[in-house]
Amino acid sequence: MTQVPTIELNDRNRIPQLGFGVFQIPPSATADAVRTALEVGYRHIDTAQMYGNERGVGEAIRAAGLDRGDVYVTSKLNNGFHEPDAARRAFERSLAELRFDYVDLFLIHWPLPMLYGGDFVSTWKALEEFKADGRARSIGVSNFEVAHLDRLASEADVVPAVNQIEVHPYFLNDEVRAYGEAHGIATEAWAPLAKGRIVDDPAIVEIAERAGRTPAQVVLRWHVERGSIVFPKSVTPARIAENFELFDFELEPDDAERIEELDRGPSGRLGPHPDTFDYVST
Ligand code: NDP
């Protein structure tokens, strides 16, 4: 079976560089999709309280007969629970939904600088408690911009192990990624396939034809070669399998340059801007 490389985080824990994302997979379909992914060989699942499907993730792992330690599982704090007491309760609910006694990685999903008086630092301190008591093996953030990371650096004790941010060929998000590289914060690239749009790009299709691989494999391989952690989402079994076959080929030296030329700067962003995003689900 394919061996997925692992990356050492700044707290010495290791994370599989390739995982399976479950955003927008309906709760009722999640266990099935995760079961397919586990059968293919994925051992890293990225979920979140906001996705409403943590339960299906835990169920599929147990149904596969895998030990808890065999699968790396990430979840994220939902936007409505930033106050420390609310964060503590929400974290407990995540463990209860998953039916785990720990998660491998727990993230603040969005910094929400427009809400909570802009105070994501006290939320982060609650996550530091979860790490200290071992219920989150690693802690990190998501959608944090440089200014948000700088604030944590000056006001908190633990440096986030990861920052999960939007990155794909149309939106390289280089400033945030470079900050992570300089400060020992691993970059997790969300929407690695630009939500599926990248597979029709003529430049990608051309590279894929030359390499004898699919467009999705080319783009995911590019992420892997530049050191990012990725977890493409799919509910399509053939694609779940396709997205896992990344470790038996390499891109040509010029390919990365060509892929990075597709960057559209700020207009390539598909998701909301973290400075202004203030969505709280009810
Ligand atoms: P992706 O870039 O992973 O794209 C998913 C889309 O691409 C789906 O429509 C899927 O279709 C399609 N697709 C998948 N594989 C292929 C393939 N081989 N060929 C063609 N099309 C393909 O976007 P996501 O937004 O889902 O991001 C991935 C993960 O990142 C999420 O699941 C989540 O875990 C995380 N994420 C985190 C965010 C955050 O704020 N922290 C925000 C967004 C995502 P289909 O399913 O129909 O096969």
Side-chain angles (χ1 to χ4, degrees):
M1 189 178 273
T2 303
Q3 278 296 316
V4 172
T6 57
I7 287 188
E8 187 177 288
L9 303 174
N10 62 16
D11 61 5
R12 304 265 166 210
N13 291 326
R14 300 195 75 92
I15 182 169
Q17 203 180 355
L18 173 65
F20 182 67
V22 298
F23 178 42
Q24 291 174 326
I25 303 186
S28 60
T30 299
D32 260 3
V34 174
R35 181 177 47 79
T36 304
L38 294 171
E39 280 168 11
V40 164
Y42 291 83
R43 291 293 180 268
H44 167 185
I45 312 292
D46 185 88
T47 182
Q49 293 171 354
M50 201 188 289
Y51 307 164
N53 57 17
E54 291 168 305
R55 183 179 297 235
V57 171
E59 260 171 38
I61 292 170
R62 276 184 296 282
L66 292 163
D67 289 337
R68 174 66 191 89
D70 293 336
V71 186
Y72 191 101
V73 176
T74 299
S75 193
K76 319 184 188 87
L77 182 75
N78 205 349
N79 290 348
F81 308 122
H82 265 241
E83 251 105 28
D85 270 340
R88 291 182 192 111
R89 285 193 298 271
F91 181 64
E92 277 165 22
R93 279 198 300 276
S94 265
L95 294 179
E97 285 289 304
L98 288 158
R99 289 180 48 209
F100 290 166
D101 51 16
Y102 71 91
V103 287
D104 295 278
L105 177 62
F106 196 68
L107 310 180
I108 298 182
H109 206 147
W110 290 89
L112 305 175
M114 317 279 282
L115 300 178
Y116 304 101
D119 180 20
F120 48 76
V121 177
S122 58
T123 311
W124 178 249
K125 292 191 176 187
L127 267 67
E128 289 182 347
E129 295 169 13
F130 310 154
K131 178 163 172 63
D133 68 25
R135 291 179 304 157
R137 296 274 161 96
S138 296
I139 53 173
V141 294
S142 178
N143 300 300
F144 272 46
E145 297 283 298
V146 168
H148 309 139
L149 295 167
D150 267 340
R151 236 185 103 195
L152 285 189
S154 62
E155 296 178 40
D157 295 324
V158 178
V159 177
V162 310
N163 188 16
Q164 184 177 127
I165 53 172
E166 180 177 347
V167 181
H168 44 74
Y170 295 144
F171 183 61
L172 296 180
N173 212 347
D174 266 342
E175 196 201 348
V176 183
R177 193 167 162 273
Y179 182 102
E181 227 164 74
H183 293 83
I185 302 169
T187 294
E188 297 192 322
W190 68 248
L193 300 172
K195 300 199 171 283
R197 294 170 209 196
I198 202 69
V199 303
D200 296 321
D201 190 283
I204 302 292
V205 169
E206 207 180 298
I207 296 171
E209 278 167 4
R210 193 220 60 234
R213 308 301 298 221
T214 69
Q217 288 170 333
V218 163
V219 172
L220 294 170
R221 178 72 205 179
W222 164 78
H223 283 286
V224 165
E225 288 188 10
R226 66 208 297 265
S228 297
I229 299 154
V230 279
F231 22 81
K233 169 264 175 186
S234 178
V235 290
T236 314
R239 290 174 172 174
I240 296 174
E242 172 188 334
N243 296 345
F244 194 68
E245 297 307 319
L246 308 180
F247 303 104
D248 58 348
F249 76 108
E250 285 178 10
L251 297 176
E252 298 285 326
D254 293 350
D255 291 342
E257 212 172 297
R258 255 191 102 194
I259 293 171
E260 284 155 36
E261 276 167 12
L262 300 175
D263 185 28
R264 298 173 179 172
S267 69
R269 191 192 283 280
L270 299 175
H273 197 297
D275 279 345
T276 49
F277 187 59
D278 61 358
Y279 171 77
V280 174
S281 51
T282 48

mmCIF file of all heavy atoms in Angstrom, residues 9-10 15 30-31 34 44 51 57-58 85 107 116 128 142 157 187 215-216 225 238 245 259 266 269 271 276 280:
data_model
loop_
_atom_site.group_PDB
_atom_site.id
_atom_site.type_symbol
_atom_site.label_atom_id
_atom_site.label_comp_id
_atom_site.label_asym_id
_atom_site.label_seq_id
_atom_site.Cartn_x
_atom_site.Cartn_y
_atom_site.Cartn_z
ATOM 1 N N LEU A 9 5.800 18.405 12.994
ATOM 2 C CA LEU A 9 5.297 19.720 13.394
ATOM 3 C C LEU A 9 6.217 20.323 14.459
ATOM 4 O O LEU A 9 7.106 19.651 14.977
ATOM 5 C CB LEU A 9 3.865 19.580 13.924
ATOM 6 C CG LEU A 9 2.876 18.950 12.929
ATOM 7 C CD1 LEU A 9 1.516 18.714 13.583
ATOM 8 C CD2 LEU A 9 2.732 19.840 11.685
ATOM 9 N N ASN A 10 5.965 21.595 14.790
ATOM 10 C CA ASN A 10 6.873 22.274 15.732
ATOM 11 C C ASN A 10 6.770 21.733 17.157
ATOM 12 O O ASN A 10 7.587 22.081 18.010
ATOM 13 C CB ASN A 10 6.667 23.798 15.688
ATOM 14 C CG ASN A 10 5.262 24.200 16.097
ATOM 15 O OD1 ASN A 10 4.525 23.415 16.689
ATOM 16 N ND2 ASN A 10 4.880 25.434 15.780
ATOM 17 N N ILE A 15 2.422 14.535 11.202
ATOM 18 C CA ILE A 15 1.124 14.532 10.523
ATOM 19 C C ILE A 15 1.290 13.958 9.113
ATOM 20 O O ILE A 15 2.236 14.322 8.404
ATOM 21 C CB ILE A 15 0.542 15.964 10.471
ATOM 22 C CG1 ILE A 15 -0.845 15.990 9.807
ATOM 23 C CG2 ILE A 15 1.470 16.956 9.752
ATOM 24 C CD1 ILE A 15 -1.580 17.330 9.964
ATOM 25 N N THR A 30 -21.290 10.843 5.317
ATOM 26 C CA THR A 30 -19.883 10.985 5.727
ATOM 27 C C THR A 30 -19.233 9.642 6.057
ATOM 28 O O THR A 30 -18.112 9.368 5.619
ATOM 29 C CB THR A 30 -19.777 11.960 6.917
ATOM 30 O OG1 THR A 30 -20.282 13.226 6.483
ATOM 31 C CG2 THR A 30 -18.341 12.117 7.380
ATOM 32 N N ALA A 31 -19.940 8.802 6.816
ATOM 33 C CA ALA A 31 -19.320 7.523 7.205
ATOM 34 C C ALA A 31 -18.945 6.724 5.954
ATOM 35 O O ALA A 31 -17.866 6.126 5.889
ATOM 36 C CB ALA A 31 -20.244 6.727 8.116
ATOM 37 N N VAL A 34 -15.857 8.326 4.233
ATOM 38 C CA VAL A 34 -14.635 8.084 5.022
ATOM 39 C C VAL A 34 -14.255 6.604 4.954
ATOM 40 O O VAL A 34 -13.073 6.266 4.862
ATOM 41 C CB VAL A 34 -14.815 8.575 6.481
ATOM 42 C CG1 VAL A 34 -13.613 8.191 7.345
ATOM 43 C CG2 VAL A 34 -15.021 10.091 6.512
ATOM 44 N N HIS A 44 -5.682 10.046 7.488
ATOM 45 C CA HIS A 44 -5.748 11.409 8.018
ATOM 46 C C HIS A 44 -7.069 11.994 7.533
ATOM 47 O O HIS A 44 -7.312 12.038 6.327
ATOM 48 C CB HIS A 44 -4.524 12.191 7.495
ATOM 49 C CG HIS A 44 -4.576 13.677 7.677
ATOM 50 N ND1 HIS A 44 -3.595 14.516 7.176
ATOM 51 C CD2 HIS A 44 -5.470 14.497 8.283
ATOM 52 C CE1 HIS A 44 -3.879 15.772 7.478
ATOM 53 N NE2 HIS A 44 -5.019 15.792 8.142
ATOM 54 N N TYR A 51 -18.901 21.470 10.060
ATOM 55 C CA TYR A 51 -19.344 20.560 8.995
ATOM 56 C C TYR A 51 -20.479 19.639 9.468
ATOM 57 O O TYR A 51 -21.132 19.010 8.649
ATOM 58 C CB TYR A 51 -18.185 19.691 8.469
ATOM 59 C CG TYR A 51 -16.942 20.434 8.037
ATOM 60 C CD1 TYR A 51 -15.739 19.758 7.856
ATOM 61 C CD2 TYR A 51 -16.957 21.807 7.813
ATOM 62 C CE1 TYR A 51 -14.584 20.428 7.460
ATOM 63 C CE2 TYR A 51 -15.813 22.480 7.426
ATOM 64 C CZ TYR A 51 -14.625 21.789 7.261
ATOM 65 O OH TYR A 51 -13.486 22.446 6.887
ATOM 66 N N VAL A 57 -17.319 10.528 10.968
ATOM 67 C CA VAL A 57 -15.867 10.273 10.878
ATOM 68 C C VAL A 57 -15.479 9.221 11.918
ATOM 69 O O VAL A 57 -14.808 8.218 11.605
ATOM 70 C CB VAL A 57 -15.074 11.587 11.096
ATOM 71 C CG1 VAL A 57 -13.583 11.305 11.224
ATOM 72 C CG2 VAL A 57 -15.344 12.567 9.953
ATOM 73 N N GLY A 58 -15.904 9.436 13.167
ATOM 74 C CA GLY A 58 -15.578 8.473 14.232
ATOM 75 C C GLY A 58 -16.160 7.092 13.920
ATOM 76 O O GLY A 58 -15.488 6.070 14.080
ATOM 77 N N ASP A 85 -14.983 29.534 27.914
ATOM 78 C CA ASP A 85 -15.872 28.509 28.472
ATOM 79 C C ASP A 85 -16.654 27.812 27.374
ATOM 80 O O ASP A 85 -16.843 26.589 27.414
ATOM 81 C CB ASP A 85 -16.867 29.139 29.467
ATOM 82 C CG ASP A 85 -16.270 29.127 30.864
ATOM 83 O OD1 ASP A 85 -15.341 28.331 31.101
ATOM 84 O OD2 ASP A 85 -16.732 29.939 31.694
ATOM 85 N N LEU A 107 -8.150 22.993 15.792
ATOM 86 C CA LEU A 107 -7.867 24.318 15.233
ATOM 87 C C LEU A 107 -8.935 25.329 15.616
ATOM 88 O O LEU A 107 -10.118 24.977 15.742
ATOM 89 C CB LEU A 107 -7.828 24.247 13.698
ATOM 90 C CG LEU A 107 -6.972 23.174 13.037
ATOM 91 C CD1 LEU A 107 -7.084 23.289 11.507
ATOM 92 C CD2 LEU A 107 -5.519 23.292 13.459
ATOM 93 N N TYR A 116 -16.366 39.191 19.016
ATOM 94 C CA TYR A 116 -15.727 38.904 20.314
ATOM 95 C C TYR A 116 -14.697 39.971 20.685
ATOM 96 O O TYR A 116 -13.649 39.660 21.262
ATOM 97 C CB TYR A 116 -15.046 37.531 20.317
ATOM 98 C CG TYR A 116 -15.965 36.395 19.954
ATOM 99 C CD1 TYR A 116 -15.942 35.841 18.677
ATOM 100 C CD2 TYR A 116 -16.867 35.886 20.887
ATOM 101 C CE1 TYR A 116 -16.802 34.801 18.332
ATOM 102 C CE2 TYR A 116 -17.724 34.843 20.556
ATOM 103 C CZ TYR A 116 -17.688 34.303 19.281
ATOM 104 O OH TYR A 116 -18.523 33.281 18.941
ATOM 105 N N GLU A 128 -4.691 25.985 24.267
ATOM 106 C CA GLU A 128 -3.443 25.611 24.962
ATOM 107 C C GLU A 128 -3.738 24.663 26.130
ATOM 108 O O GLU A 128 -2.971 23.730 26.396
ATOM 109 C CB GLU A 128 -2.719 26.870 25.468
ATOM 110 C CG GLU A 128 -2.113 27.707 24.341
ATOM 111 C CD GLU A 128 -1.354 28.947 24.838
ATOM 112 O OE1 GLU A 128 -1.486 29.311 26.021
ATOM 113 O OE2 GLU A 128 -0.632 29.541 24.030
ATOM 114 N N SER A 142 -6.635 28.296 11.756
ATOM 115 C CA SER A 142 -7.051 28.226 10.362
ATOM 116 C C SER A 142 -7.493 29.611 9.928
ATOM 117 O O SER A 142 -8.128 30.336 10.709
ATOM 118 C CB SER A 142 -8.201 27.215 10.222
ATOM 119 O OG SER A 142 -8.657 27.168 8.892
ATOM 120 N N ASP A 157 1.569 31.614 24.534
ATOM 121 C CA ASP A 157 2.773 30.813 24.805
ATOM 122 C C ASP A 157 3.087 29.825 23.692
ATOM 123 O O ASP A 157 4.243 29.650 23.315
ATOM 124 C CB ASP A 157 2.582 30.013 26.106
ATOM 125 C CG ASP A 157 2.468 30.949 27.293
ATOM 126 O OD1 ASP A 157 3.164 31.995 27.277
ATOM 127 O OD2 ASP A 157 1.685 30.651 28.210
ATOM 128 N N THR A 187 1.988 24.755 6.791
ATOM 129 C CA THR A 187 0.819 25.204 6.024
ATOM 130 C C THR A 187 -0.010 24.011 5.574
ATOM 131 O O THR A 187 0.497 23.080 4.943
ATOM 132 C CB THR A 187 1.251 26.014 4.788
ATOM 133 O OG1 THR A 187 1.870 27.225 5.233
ATOM 134 C CG2 THR A 187 0.044 26.386 3.914
ATOM 135 N N PRO A 215 -5.129 15.720 -14.101
ATOM 136 C CA PRO A 215 -4.915 17.097 -13.635
ATOM 137 C C PRO A 215 -4.941 17.211 -12.101
ATOM 138 O O PRO A 215 -4.118 17.921 -11.514
ATOM 139 C CB PRO A 215 -6.077 17.860 -14.281
ATOM 140 C CG PRO A 215 -6.379 17.085 -15.531
ATOM 141 C CD PRO A 215 -6.164 15.648 -15.156
ATOM 142 N N ALA A 216 -5.857 16.523 -11.458
ATOM 143 C CA ALA A 216 -5.925 16.605 -9.986
ATOM 144 C C ALA A 216 -4.625 16.079 -9.371
ATOM 145 O O ALA A 216 -4.087 16.661 -8.426
ATOM 146 C CB ALA A 216 -7.125 15.818 -9.464
ATOM 147 N N GLU A 225 5.010 18.609 -3.187
ATOM 148 C CA GLU A 225 6.434 18.905 -3.444
ATOM 149 C C GLU A 225 6.845 20.233 -2.815
ATOM 150 O O GLU A 225 8.013 20.427 -2.501
ATOM 151 C CB GLU A 225 6.727 18.892 -4.958
ATOM 152 C CG GLU A 225 6.701 17.480 -5.515
ATOM 153 C CD GLU A 225 7.168 17.385 -6.970
ATOM 154 O OE1 GLU A 225 7.689 18.372 -7.523
ATOM 155 O OE2 GLU A 225 6.992 16.288 -7.553
ATOM 156 N N ALA A 238 -13.961 6.876 -7.297
ATOM 157 C CA ALA A 238 -12.822 6.832 -8.238
ATOM 158 C C ALA A 238 -11.885 8.017 -7.997
ATOM 159 O O ALA A 238 -10.659 7.893 -8.114
ATOM 160 C CB ALA A 238 -13.316 6.834 -9.676
ATOM 161 N N GLU A 245 -3.033 8.717 -5.250
ATOM 162 C CA GLU A 245 -1.882 8.176 -6.010
ATOM 163 C C GLU A 245 -0.927 9.294 -6.397
ATOM 164 O O GLU A 245 -0.869 9.710 -7.545
ATOM 165 C CB GLU A 245 -2.384 7.414 -7.248
ATOM 166 C CG GLU A 245 -3.234 6.192 -6.928
ATOM 167 C CD GLU A 245 -2.557 5.244 -5.954
ATOM 168 O OE1 GLU A 245 -1.336 5.008 -6.082
ATOM 169 O OE2 GLU A 245 -3.248 4.744 -5.045
ATOM 170 N N ILE A 259 2.779 26.228 -13.024
ATOM 171 C CA ILE A 259 1.572 26.152 -12.179
ATOM 172 C C ILE A 259 1.438 27.458 -11.385
ATOM 173 O O ILE A 259 0.349 28.024 -11.267
ATOM 174 C CB ILE A 259 1.644 24.914 -11.253
ATOM 175 C CG1 ILE A 259 1.571 23.624 -12.096
ATOM 176 C CG2 ILE A 259 0.536 24.951 -10.207
ATOM 177 C CD1 ILE A 259 1.847 22.340 -11.343
ATOM 178 N N PRO A 266 -5.189 38.444 -5.208
ATOM 179 C CA PRO A 266 -6.375 38.483 -4.337
ATOM 180 C C PRO A 266 -7.659 38.043 -5.045
ATOM 181 O O PRO A 266 -8.556 37.481 -4.419
ATOM 182 C CB PRO A 266 -6.465 39.955 -3.920
ATOM 183 C CG PRO A 266 -5.074 40.481 -4.085
ATOM 184 C CD PRO A 266 -4.433 39.702 -5.203
ATOM 185 N N ARG A 269 -8.945 34.329 -4.805
ATOM 186 C CA ARG A 269 -9.486 33.764 -3.559
ATOM 187 C C ARG A 269 -10.916 33.285 -3.791
ATOM 188 O O ARG A 269 -11.736 34.013 -4.349
ATOM 189 C CB ARG A 269 -9.465 34.862 -2.482
ATOM 190 C CG ARG A 269 -9.748 34.373 -1.085
ATOM 191 C CD ARG A 269 -9.997 35.541 -0.143
ATOM 192 N NE ARG A 269 -8.821 36.264 0.299
ATOM 193 C CZ ARG A 269 -8.001 35.866 1.271
ATOM 194 N NH1 ARG A 269 -8.214 34.747 1.901
ATOM 195 N NH2 ARG A 269 -6.958 36.606 1.613
ATOM 196 N N GLY A 271 -12.752 31.637 -1.158
ATOM 197 C CA GLY A 271 -13.475 31.732 0.116
ATOM 198 C C GLY A 271 -13.489 33.165 0.617
ATOM 199 O O GLY A 271 -12.966 34.070 -0.036
ATOM 200 N N THR A 276 -12.520 39.946 7.406
ATOM 201 C CA THR A 276 -13.894 40.448 7.489
ATOM 202 C C THR A 276 -14.935 39.347 7.700
ATOM 203 O O THR A 276 -16.093 39.643 7.966
ATOM 204 C CB THR A 276 -14.257 41.218 6.194
ATOM 205 O OG1 THR A 276 -13.893 40.403 5.081
ATOM 206 C CG2 THR A 276 -13.506 42.541 6.112
ATOM 207 N N VAL A 280 -21.487 33.281 11.753
ATOM 208 C CA VAL A 280 -21.678 32.376 12.886
ATOM 209 C C VAL A 280 -22.945 31.587 12.620
ATOM 210 O O VAL A 280 -24.009 32.180 12.429
ATOM 211 C CB VAL A 280 -21.809 33.167 14.213
ATOM 212 C CG1 VAL A 280 -22.151 32.227 15.360
ATOM 213 C CG2 VAL A 280 -20.516 33.912 14.501
#
